[in-house]
Amino acid sequence: MFTLPGTDAQIVTDHAVKVSRVPDTQLSVVICTLGEERVAETVESVADSARAADADLETIVVWQSAKPAPRLGGAVVLNVFPSGLAYARNRGLVAAQGELVAFVDDDEVVDPAWARGLLDAFSRPEAPAGVFGPVAPRDERGLPYGRYDGGGSFRTIEPRTPPWRVGSRGNMAFRREALLAVGGFDPLFGAGSVSRSAEETELIHRLLESGRTLAWSPDPVVYHSARTEADRLTSRYPHAYGLGKVIRRHRSPVLAARYGSEIARALTSGARARDGGRLREARATLHGFGSALAFRASVVSPLAVLERAPESVAAVLERAAVEPMEPSFRPDPHFLYRVGGDRILHVYVNPSARFGAGLAVRNRLARPGIPRVIAAGEDVDAYWVLEELLAGRPPRPDRVAEWFPRVAEWVLALGPGTGVAVREGAWWAGESPRALAAASGSLRAAVETALEAVGALRAQPVHGDVQRKNVLLDDTVGVIDWEDPLEDGPPGLDLLFLAAMARGDTPDVELLRELARGRDPDWAPLRALLRTAGVGDDLVRPLLLVVLAVWAANEAARAGLPGLPRADPIYRRLLHELGPELA
């Protein structure tokens, strides 16, 4: 939680919030809603089921609406910026206290035996990582929601089962550890995303591919409102579109063939039976599936969120043309809009606890190459920054010798800072414990010694993420993405990161090896530049060791967040590979 400078308003953030709410929680139930009052009935049914099972259970309502949430009978309410169903599910997952996390929809109620059914299913010898249950119709006047497999018995899912045949998103539960291990839900899928649906299908595919056991149980039943023929027809296109995007994302010709054959059978059976309704559904399914496979989705920031703009920003938007730009979704959405041709609007969802302080640092550093802030404000769970649009293009990696000295000179000109030692500032307070935690065994003592040396240096302002993709070159040098600047970081921090990322999108391992051995790259006098920053030759190795430990810690923290693809830990490997040389 942080307070906007100059106001009493607060923004709630919860990426790392772990507040004990229910002692020894067995099960957390996440219910995502766009502000529907009917969610109260869902919450009540979950509470009734918990009492019937005599289970320690918490209910988390992810509330994605500008209007205030009603009182919801003991449920924890997370006020989350509307950014799609998958993102909302991930926020609930992060906040959950239970070893097991279940997801039900806000237009469902659970059976009194639902909680006991889930707990029993996870307690079986098969030890499934995920359990799916039936979604039954609440009445007999219409069609069931999806396929309803009433009755039957517990069964594990065959690994080669098509993911769309495993279970329903309206009644699913997972071991929290397993769900986080595979990256949680992908925010590019699900309602409100560019893929329109299939967040559970994409997740199921990754769980099965990872070798984890999934199961179906008849005991945890939820009830969903019945649907009409028109409802079912309307759902066919987005459902098939999402499945097509799953298949395209994972480049699976086998799944494409299997789903295509299912569509062909539906078309054939509908034609033979002369069933117009079935044929219309099959055609809509084919249309959605084919469109997903054939065309790349156009990803732009949603215009609808601009209705939530704070007054200071909205006043500017009313007088200018607004053009949505491509956003970033991982791990939190960062929406972008071009405003009037010469400004750019950033909407940062779930901002960091130090975002407001960072904005103040940026304003104090104001100089050519730092985008001027025109207006800024806050919303529930988001920070809005309208700034000038800098001209220029990112420098080319194959011409690093031409542009690096020029950008390095700009970075050096950010200093000097307040004159305090690094150990007296905010960077040290936040990063030094994380750097020590990232080092193990005998390396920990070496990092501690290196931290002592770096802590004695004079602190300087740092951007924190100066890399080639954030640099714009024109007649002048510009640097964008000022999300987390600090006034009192280690000298040379930005220079090191700029050099490490100058020739590609991944760290330049060879450059770091050479620097650890006292040698410069052939395209820049890096050690001389570091001396100018205040880092003598005898301190280059300690600084590099500390920076590698910090990078490894940040990498580990990001690896624990849902919504990010899982990748090999590059910086941890570098820390343990180069650490002994630097110690």
Side-chain angles (χ1 to χ4, degrees):
M1 177 178 294
F2 69 85
T3 302
L4 182 66
T7 76
D8 295 325
Q10 294 179 322
I11 294 177
V12 176
T13 60
D14 60 20
H15 253 293
V17 173
K18 302 303 293 181
V19 180
S20 179
R21 291 181 285 264
V22 179
D24 303 318
T25 303
Q26 297 170 273
L27 175 66
S28 297
V29 183
V30 176
I31 309 166
C32 302
T33 181
L34 290 173
E36 299 289 345
E37 294 184 3
R38 65 193 179 197
V39 73
E41 188 179 10
T42 312
V43 170
E44 184 179 357
S45 72
V46 169
D48 290 342
S49 185
R51 284 190 290 269
D54 192 24
D56 293 322
L57 179 152
E58 70 170 351
T59 303
I60 300 171
V61 175
V62 184
W63 185 265
Q64 303 166 86
S65 174
K67 65 182 181 182
R71 293 188 178 276
L72 293 171
V76 175
V77 177
L78 299 181
N79 288 299
V80 171
F81 198 88
S83 306
L85 180 56
Y87 178 71
R89 292 194 195 278
N90 282 338
R91 291 288 292 273
L93 170 65
V94 170
Q97 303 293 297
E99 294 181 8
L100 307 175
V101 183
F103 299 88
V104 295
D105 292 340
D106 66 350
D107 54 355
E108 296 174 332
V109 294
V110 307
D111 189 85
W114 175 81
R116 174 50 53 197
L118 277 181
L119 294 172
D120 288 347
F122 279 104
S123 298
R124 292 179 64 93
E126 295 87 345
V131 172
F132 294 81
V135 179
R138 292 185 70 172
D139 56 61
E140 298 177 355
R141 293 175 296 173
L143 301 169
Y145 175 82
R147 191 177 73 179
Y148 171 52
D149 293 321
S153 58
F154 180 93
R155 64 179 182 271
T156 57
I157 305 300
E158 291 293 328
R160 295 185 179 181
T161 302
W164 57 87
R165 291 291 178 187
V166 170
S168 168
R169 69 184 184 191
N171 189 10
M172 56 185 179
F174 306 93
R175 296 189 188 276
R176 185 176 187 274
E177 182 180 4
L179 194 49
L180 286 172
V182 299
F185 294 92
D186 189 325
L188 294 180
F189 292 86
S193 77
V194 65
S195 298
R196 307 189 184 198
S197 67
E199 83 283 357
E200 84 286 10
T201 305
E202 197 278 334
L203 171 64
I204 290 167
H205 178 75
R206 280 185 282 121
L207 286 166
L208 291 175
E209 287 288 296
S210 72
R212 289 173 170 82
T213 299
L214 301 180
W216 187 89
S217 173
D219 299 327
V221 180
V222 306
Y223 302 98
H224 188 284
S225 301
R227 302 201 304 177
T228 66
E229 292 278 5
D231 292 334
R232 193 157 71 176
L233 177 60
T234 301
S235 71
R236 290 300 85 201
Y237 181 93
H239 176 76
Y241 186 88
L243 285 177
K245 288 302 179 187
V246 171
I247 291 168
R248 179 167 173 155
R249 159 66 64 82
H250 293 283
R251 297 182 173 88
S252 176
V254 173
L255 290 181
R258 295 185 73 169
Y259 195 62
S261 67
E262 289 190 15
I263 297 173
R265 286 196 298 270
L267 286 167
T268 301
S269 64
R272 286 176 177 171
R274 297 184 179 179
D275 186 331
R278 195 186 307 176
L279 275 173
R280 284 189 293 273
E281 288 184 19
R283 290 184 186 122
T285 301
L286 178 61
H287 184 201
F289 185 59
S291 297
L293 293 182
F295 303 108
R296 184 180 183 274
S298 177
V299 186
V300 294
S301 300
L303 286 170
V305 306
L306 298 180
E307 298 175 359
R308 298 177 58 127
E311 290 184 10
S312 57
V313 175
V316 180
L317 298 183
E318 289 176 359
R319 304 188 299 269
V322 178
E323 177 188 350
M325 302 170 64
E326 184 173 355
S328 169
F329 287 103
R330 294 169 169 157
D332 293 295
H334 174 191
F335 299 125
L336 293 162
Y337 306 86
R338 190 185 299 269
V339 180
D342 59 351
R343 289 156 290 176
I344 186 168
L345 172 65
H346 301 260
V347 182
Y348 299 99
V349 178
N350 195 24
S352 70
R354 66 188 194 188
F355 189 99
L359 185 62
V361 170
R362 171 182 169 182
N363 288 336
R364 285 195 293 273
L365 288 176
R367 52 161 295 183
I370 299 177
R372 180 176 59 88
V373 176
I374 298 162
E378 63 176 335
D379 182 15
V380 174
D381 195 42
Y383 213 122
W384 301 63
V385 178
L386 180 66
E387 65 185 27
E388 68 173 319
L389 180 64
L390 297 182
R393 293 179 177 273
R396 289 175 50 173
D398 58 339
R399 295 186 176 179
V400 61
E402 298 176 15
W403 60 262
F404 186 87
R406 181 182 173 197
V407 178
E409 182 181 356
W410 188 94
V411 170
L412 289 171
L414 277 180
T418 58
V420 303
V422 170
R423 67 166 61 93
E424 298 174 28
W427 182 91
W428 177 270
E431 301 295 352
S432 60
R434 288 152 48 85
L436 283 173
S440 58
S442 59
L443 197 57
R444 182 181 176 89
V447 171
E448 190 169 13
T449 301
L451 276 167
E452 291 176 3
V454 171
L457 294 171
R458 293 294 95 185
Q460 293 184 2
V462 294
H463 173 281
D465 192 22
V466 177
Q467 55 177 304
R468 185 175 53 83
K469 72 179 182 66
N470 288 336
V471 173
L472 296 175
L473 294 182
D474 194 32
D475 295 334
T476 59
V477 174
V479 177
I480 58 174
D481 275 10
W482 290 82
E483 296 182 37
D484 230 6
L486 286 168
E487 208 159 34
D488 50 13
L493 179 69
D494 284 339
L495 271 176
L496 278 177
F497 195 56
L498 176 66
M501 303 296 290
R503 295 193 294 179
D505 296 326
T506 57
D508 190 334
V509 178
E510 189 57 36
L511 176 142
L512 295 172
R513 285 198 187 101
E514 290 296 293
L515 191 60
R517 295 163 188 169
R519 295 190 286 265
D520 281 331
D522 59 8
W523 41 267
L526 191 52
R527 295 171 68 82
L529 291 168
L530 287 169
R531 286 195 294 273
T532 303
V535 182
D537 288 350
D538 60 326
L539 289 172
V540 172
R541 291 161 67 88
L543 176 62
L544 183 55
L545 180 57
V546 167
V547 168
L548 284 175
V550 169
W551 290 347
N554 291 338
E555 177 182 64
R558 286 175 63 84
L561 296 176
L564 285 171
R566 293 306 183 242
D568 292 334
I570 298 173
Y571 293 111
R572 186 180 67 184
R573 176 171 52 79
L574 283 174
L575 174 63
H576 289 281
E577 177 185 339
L578 299 179
E581 293 186 43
L582 296 168

